């Protein structure tokens, strides 16, 4: 009787908690929806200061597409992705260039996260285009990360707090290896792969990086570092090779500067002036005038500026459809930041059925994922091509493995010189814990109607026959990958195999090898797509998925929280959490029904 009463109380309490959570979130959403409606009826309510500054103040990493906010994760932890769209920065700078109200550009990168070099180059090009208007560009910062310093170099004046630092440290790729701990806990790692450079699974059967993986990664890192230093030195009018020379003698240089990193940055001409926060505020007020309410200099953040100038997106006439594919490739539907084959295919069909669309540009920023999902997307694009509509693949920072697969048969492939691409290889991965369970006296047994029934089970392991079965699938998948690339690139299968085997290549090397057709950013790819379609007069249509009211509310909420929080870039626990989260995300995205994956983990690391 007591047990039954206790059970009923617990059930009632649990139902009460769930109902309360639904009510609170529903009420919260209603308030935000009302705020959205009122805000929409009342206009943007944002004033652009006449004669003031546009403030380029990105928060978080630079991305092609923002990751969708998971309501459950937000409600449980309050975490929101801190990201800034590259296209928003580019659009704001292009708009402000000819806006008479904007007289200055202030670069404020204190809350900016890391950015791949190709994204930094795209933003730097937009800054240089803004400068061509004759308006002054000022970079200010407490200190400058490597990514921030690259962009700040394009300012007319780089200012930094005397207690700050601005030292480009170089690029590196490091991984965490689990072989020994998995063995200690008797976890079986069943691996099937093709390609000596396909290193995605090395952390599960090695305790260190293989020579092949080191070779492939160093090729990419040297490419990035060369692009970074040559651009920085040219922009800052420094002798070529001066950054490497300074870093080679960093200990003596630091001693000569009295151990002051700010002085070191000044002496190396990485910054132009060391200035306290008080003097900086005075200096900026003298340039732009003083804001009466805040007492600060007169400026407007680039996102507020875009919002104040945003007009209804009416796309008329002949259209170039741009479809963005960002994140891991998985089977099924997925929110922004992950590429679900069904979600992306829906957008591809939407573009293909539009009578005004004359060409499709697929903007890819992905290290791959499911083999079956990748082929599904590629074949959907091929269906569009069959109707006479040209398809151009535009590679962002990463378009490798599955990211390359979906691009392989496009009419043209564009990449930046620093794009990570290639990684034409495949693997299978089935972790099992039958030995772990046996250690504690837990076993699984049973019967099946065929030799492969229950051949792969997390609690029973993988049978020898099923292992052979999977390896044949992997071998066949690799051959399919080679044939797909050969077909799209007009190469022989043997020639593709020579440059495949899972090896990653930089965009400029991929051009030499015939894996891409041209080097250039998204804008160049769009122009080329128009030429293929034979049109001169066209508009660009960014094909986006339909957004529900709940998603709009969550997006608004995420934006408000992300912009109000201070970045914790140097918090060691936050850094560890991100690494673990990345590893878990990698494992949870392995949902290919045949256990076959085309993933470039070399491309998924933070730059």
């Amino acid at each position: 009787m007591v047990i039954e009463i206790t059970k009923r109380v617990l059930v009632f309490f649990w139902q009460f908690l769930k109902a309360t959570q639904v009510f609170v979130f529903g009420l919260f959403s209603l308030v935000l929806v009302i705020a959205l409606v009122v805000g929409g009826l009342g206009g943007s309510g944002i004033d652009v200061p006449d004669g003031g500054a546009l403030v380029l103040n990105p928060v978080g990493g630079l991305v092609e597409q923002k990751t969708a906010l998971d309501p459950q994760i937000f409600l449980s932890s309050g975490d929101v992705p801190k990201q800034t769209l590259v296209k928003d920065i580019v659009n704001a700078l292009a708009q402000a260039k000819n806006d008479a109200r904007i007289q200055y550009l202030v670069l404020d990168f204190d809350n900016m996260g890391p950015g791949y070099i190709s994204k930094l180059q795209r933003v730097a090009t937009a800054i240089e285009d803004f400068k061509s208007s004759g308006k002054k560009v000022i970079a200010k910062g407490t200190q400058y990360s490597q990514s921030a310093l690259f962009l700040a170099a394009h300012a007319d004046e780089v200012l930094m707090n005397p207690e700050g630092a601005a030292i480009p440290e170089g690029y590196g790729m490091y991984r965490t290896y689990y072989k020994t701990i998995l063995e200690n806990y008797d976890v079986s790692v069943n691996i099937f792969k093709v390609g000596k450079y396909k290193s995605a699974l090395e952390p599960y059967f090695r305790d260190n990086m293989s020579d092949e993986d080191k070779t492939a990664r160093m090729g990419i890192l040297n490419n990035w570092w060369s692009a970074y230093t040559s651009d920085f030195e040219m922009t800052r009018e420094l002798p070529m090779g001066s950054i490497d020379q300074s870093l080679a003698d960093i200990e003596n240089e630091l001693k000569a500067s009295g151990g002051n990193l700010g002085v070191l940055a000044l002496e190396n001409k990485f910054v132009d002036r060391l200035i306290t926060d008080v003097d900086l505020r005075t200096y900026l007020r003298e340039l732009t005038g003083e804001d009466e309410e805040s007492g600060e200099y007169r400026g407007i953040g680039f996102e507020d500026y875009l919002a104040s100038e945003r007009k209804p997106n009416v796309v008329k006439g002949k259209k170039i459809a741009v479809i963005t594919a960002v994140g891991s490739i998985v089977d099924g539907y997925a929110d922004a930041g992950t590429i679900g084959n069904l979600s992306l295919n829906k957008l591809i069909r939407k573009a293909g059925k539009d009578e005004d669309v004359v060409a499709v540009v697929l903007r890819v920023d992905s290290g791959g994922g499911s083999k079956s999902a990748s082929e599904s997307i590629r074949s959907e694009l091929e269906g569009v091509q069959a109707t006479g509509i040209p398809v151009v693949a535009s590679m962002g920072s990463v378009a490798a493995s599955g990211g390359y697969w979906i691009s392989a048969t496009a009419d043209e492939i564009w990449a930046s010189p620093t794009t990570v691409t290639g990684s034409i290889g495949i693997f299978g991965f089935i972790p099992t814990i039958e030995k772990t369970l046996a250690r504690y006296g837990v076993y699984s047994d049973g019967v099946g109607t065929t030799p492969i029934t229950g051949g792969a089970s997390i609690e029973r392991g993988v049978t020898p026959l099923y292992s052979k079965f999977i390896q044949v699938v992997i071998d066949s998948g690799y051959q399919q990958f080679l044939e797909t690339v050969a077909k799209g690139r007009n190469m022989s299968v043997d020639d593709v195999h020579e440059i495949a085997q899972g090896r990653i290549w930089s965009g400029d090397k991929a051009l030499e090898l015939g894996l891409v057709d041209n080097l250039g950013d998204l804008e160049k790819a769009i122009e080329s797509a128009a030429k293929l379609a034979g049109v001169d007069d066209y508009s660009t249509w960014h094909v986006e998925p339909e957004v529900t009211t709940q998603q709009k509310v969550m997006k608004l909420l995420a934006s408000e929280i992300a912009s109000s929080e201070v970045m914790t870039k140097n918090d060691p626990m936050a850094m560890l959490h991100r690494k673990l989260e990345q590893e878990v995300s990698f494992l949870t995205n392995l949902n290919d029904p045949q256990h076959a994956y085309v993933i470039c983990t070399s491309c998924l690391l933070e730059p």
Side-chain angles (χ1 to χ4, degrees), residues 144 149 160-161 164-168 232 236 238 246 250 253-254 257 260-274:
Y144 293 94
L149 186 60
M160 187 177 75
N161 188 284
I167 301 177
F232 189 93
R236 294 289 296 171
L238 299 174
S246 175
I250 189 66
E253 288 201 358
L254 186 54
S257 66
N260 188 307
L261 294 175
V263 172
L264 179 65
L266 184 64
E267 291 177 346
N268 279 293
K269 298 183 179 179
F270 295 162
V271 302
D272 295 304
R273 182 156 51 122
L274 300 180

Side-chain angles (χ1 to χ4, degrees), residues 28-84:
F28 188 61
S29 299
L30 179 62
V31 171
L32 282 175
V33 168
I34 293 173
L36 280 171
V37 173
V38 172
L41 293 174
S44 68
I46 301 173
D47 294 324
V48 179
D50 194 3
L54 176 69
V55 183
L56 186 57
N57 52 348
V59 174
L62 303 180
V63 297
E64 298 282 348
Q65 182 184 64
K66 288 187 177 181
T67 302
L69 179 64
D70 187 324
Q72 291 184 340
I73 293 177
F74 169 73
L75 288 174
S76 63
S77 66
D79 289 341
V80 298
K82 297 178 179 64
Q83 299 170 328
T84 297

Side-chain angles (χ1 to χ4, degrees), residues 385 390-394 407 409-414 489 516-518 524-525 527-529 531-532:
Q385 291 170 283
V391 172
V392 173
S394 171
S407 310
T409 53
D411 293 287
E412 279 186 2
I413 301 178
W414 286 72
R489 307 308 302 156
V516 304
D517 297 296
N518 299 284
K524 291 290 185 183
E527 291 174 9
S528 184
K531 289 180 181 178
L532 288 176

Side-chain angles (χ1 to χ4, degrees), residues 14-181:
W14 173 246
Q15 291 176 338
F16 174 76
L17 286 177
K18 288 179 67 177
T20 302
Q21 182 184 46
V22 171
F23 172 76
V24 171
F25 182 73
L27 181 62
F28 188 61
S29 299
L30 179 62
V31 171
L32 282 175
V33 168
I34 293 173
L36 280 171
V37 173
V38 172
L41 293 174
S44 68
I46 301 173
D47 294 324
V48 179
D50 194 3
L54 176 69
V55 183
L56 186 57
N57 52 348
V59 174
L62 303 180
V63 297
E64 298 282 348
Q65 182 184 64
K66 288 187 177 181
T67 302
L69 179 64
D70 187 324
Q72 291 184 340
I73 293 177
F74 169 73
L75 288 174
S76 63
S77 66
D79 289 341
V80 298
K82 297 178 179 64
Q83 299 170 328
T84 297
L85 288 174
V86 174
K87 70 178 181 180
D88 282 354
I89 294 176
V90 173
N91 290 341
L93 291 174
Q95 200 162 287
K97 172 186 175 183
N98 300 313
D99 190 334
R101 296 170 298 177
I102 300 297
Q103 291 300 308
Y104 299 92
L105 174 63
V106 174
L107 307 179
D108 181 353
F109 299 132
D110 278 346
N111 288 325
M112 188 180 84
Y116 281 96
I117 184 66
S118 61
K119 292 181 174 63
L120 297 176
Q121 288 172 322
R122 192 173 171 207
V123 174
T125 299
I127 294 173
E128 288 293 337
D129 182 58
F130 177 91
K131 283 171 63 177
S132 68
S133 66
K135 300 174 183 180
K136 187 171 184 177
V137 180
I138 302 166
K140 72 178 187 73
T142 304
Q143 58 183 2
Y144 293 94
S145 67
Q146 182 166 286
S147 294
L149 186 60
F150 180 88
L151 295 179
H154 291 268
D156 296 298
E157 190 175 20
V158 183
L159 310 176
M160 187 177 75
N161 188 284
E163 295 300 313
I167 301 177
E169 297 180 1
Y171 289 108
M173 288 183 178
Y174 300 91
R175 306 180 73 180
T176 303
Y177 293 80
Y178 308 98
K179 174 178 177 286
T180 298
I181 192 171

Side-chain angles (χ1 to χ4, degrees), residues 118-361:
S118 61
K119 292 181 174 63
L120 297 176
Q121 288 172 322
R122 192 173 171 207
V123 174
T125 299
I127 294 173
E128 288 293 337
D129 182 58
F130 177 91
K131 283 171 63 177
S132 68
S133 66
K135 300 174 183 180
K136 187 171 184 177
V137 180
I138 302 166
K140 72 178 187 73
T142 304
Q143 58 183 2
Y144 293 94
S145 67
Q146 182 166 286
S147 294
L149 186 60
F150 180 88
L151 295 179
H154 291 268
D156 296 298
E157 190 175 20
V158 183
L159 310 176
M160 187 177 75
N161 188 284
E163 295 300 313
I167 301 177
E169 297 180 1
Y171 289 108
M173 288 183 178
Y174 300 91
R175 306 180 73 180
T176 303
Y177 293 80
Y178 308 98
K179 174 178 177 286
T180 298
I181 192 171
L182 291 174
E183 289 177 347
N184 289 342
Y185 285 93
D186 291 325
V187 176
S188 300
V189 181
N190 304 277
I191 293 171
F192 316 86
K193 74 184 187 81
V194 179
K196 66 179 181 179
Y197 291 98
K198 199 66 180 174
S199 61
L201 300 179
E202 280 191 0
Y204 305 101
F205 65 87
R206 294 180 62 98
D207 281 329
N208 58 3
M209 190 177 288
S210 68
D211 291 338
E212 291 83 1
D213 196 17
K214 287 180 179 179
T215 298
R217 289 171 185 264
M218 279 306 300
I220 295 296
L221 294 174
N222 286 332
N223 171 269
W224 288 355
W225 186 236
S226 176
Y228 184 102
T229 55
S230 60
D231 183 290
F232 189 93
E233 289 163 350
M234 181 178 66
T235 305
R236 294 289 296 171
E237 298 181 351
L238 299 174
M240 298 305 290
S242 60
I243 292 180
D244 282 330
Q245 183 177 349
S246 175
L247 294 176
D249 195 34
I250 189 66
E251 184 179 359
N252 289 328
E253 288 201 358
L254 186 54
K255 288 180 179 177
S257 66
N260 188 307
L261 294 175
V263 172
L264 179 65
L266 184 64
E267 291 177 346
N268 279 293
K269 298 183 179 179
F270 295 162
V271 302
D272 295 304
R273 182 156 51 122
L274 300 180
I275 183 171
T276 65
D277 291 344
V278 174
D279 290 340
L280 175 63
R281 287 194 294 271
T282 301
Y283 174 60
L284 292 176
R285 283 196 296 263
E286 289 173 351
L287 291 176
T288 68
E290 182 175 338
D291 183 270
E292 294 181 0
E293 291 185 9
S294 66
E296 300 293 335
Y297 71 95
R298 298 170 65 246
I300 180 171
F302 78 99
E303 289 186 331
D304 284 341
Y305 176 70
L306 279 177
S308 72
E309 297 297 299
R310 190 165 285 133
K311 299 176 178 63
N313 185 24
V314 179
V315 183
K316 298 180 179 179
K318 299 299 181 183
K319 298 184 287 191
I320 306 295
V322 179
I323 301 173
T324 304
V326 172
S328 298
I329 301 174
V330 300
D331 290 87
Y333 289 95
D335 291 326
T338 302
I339 306 169
N341 68 312
L342 298 183
S343 309
L344 191 63
N345 287 349
K346 186 176 180 180
L347 298 183
I348 295 171
R349 287 194 296 274
K350 181 178 179 180
K353 291 178 179 178
D354 191 302
E355 295 180 353
D356 294 324
V357 168
V358 295
V360 172
V361 174

